[in-house]
Amino acid sequence: MDWTDIPLTECLRGDEAEMLQFALDRVRRQFAWKTGGLDAEQLRRQHPPSTMTLAGLIKHLAFVEDGFTALAADQPLGPPWDVRDWVGNDEWGWESAVTDDPQELYGLWYGSVERSRTAWATMGADGGLDVKVDDADPAWIKNRRRILIDLLEEYLKHTGHADVLREAVDGLSGNDPR
């Protein structure tokens, strides 16, 4: 698995939903390139004072993919996320990633991307279903378009982190593979 496994088609004149999907796929490919091909030690390396690792980023974004997609589809989270008590323990993914096998981490993330791409292609991102995000606050409702934008925002933020961490690991820099 590597960044070339993330499909990307050019989108010069798509509608809003198509452009959002294109932007998300493009940043997924950048993230895959920035985090790909590393061994366990490289994935687990911290760069003080931060405790963030590339392994943690990979696992976190796998969770984000599955979580945001489940939210948009109004479905419960599936494995491995469904066995966790997330209340008060949202650091589990970040912390547990440093003991995960690199191929399992990569498989987890690539699998979440494929599930997400398939689900979004089916349900669309045209606004669609309104989803109640917080039962305690009925006013806090998002539609699918907003959830997709939130997913893109997570990727943009964390691809920036991956950029800095990867350059510190082996000097890889730039926005796209050469």
Side-chain angles (χ1 to χ4, degrees), residues 92-119:
W92 170 79
W94 293 94
E95 294 166 355
S96 66
V98 297
T99 61
D100 290 344
D101 174 75
Q103 292 311 310
E104 290 175 11
L105 272 176
Y106 289 130
L108 181 67
W109 181 74
Y110 278 94
S112 71
V113 168
E114 184 55 35
R115 287 187 297 279
S116 180
R117 292 184 86 256
T118 300

Side-chain angles (χ1 to χ4, degrees), residues 103-152:
Q103 292 311 310
E104 290 175 11
L105 272 176
Y106 289 130
L108 181 67
W109 181 74
Y110 278 94
S112 71
V113 168
E114 184 55 35
R115 287 187 297 279
S116 180
R117 292 184 86 256
T118 300
W120 282 99
T122 301
M123 67 183 158
D126 59 358
L129 174 73
D130 284 339
V131 178
K132 189 187 315 178
V133 178
D134 184 350
D135 288 329
D137 183 358
W140 218 72
I141 294 176
K142 292 186 182 184
N143 66 29
R144 286 185 179 140
R145 182 182 302 118
R146 171 60 192 268
I147 294 168
L148 189 63
I149 289 169
D150 289 348
L151 179 57
L152 177 59

Side-chain angles (χ1 to χ4, degrees), residues 67-80:
F68 282 30
T69 302
L71 177 64
D74 198 23
Q75 298 292 319
L77 272 171

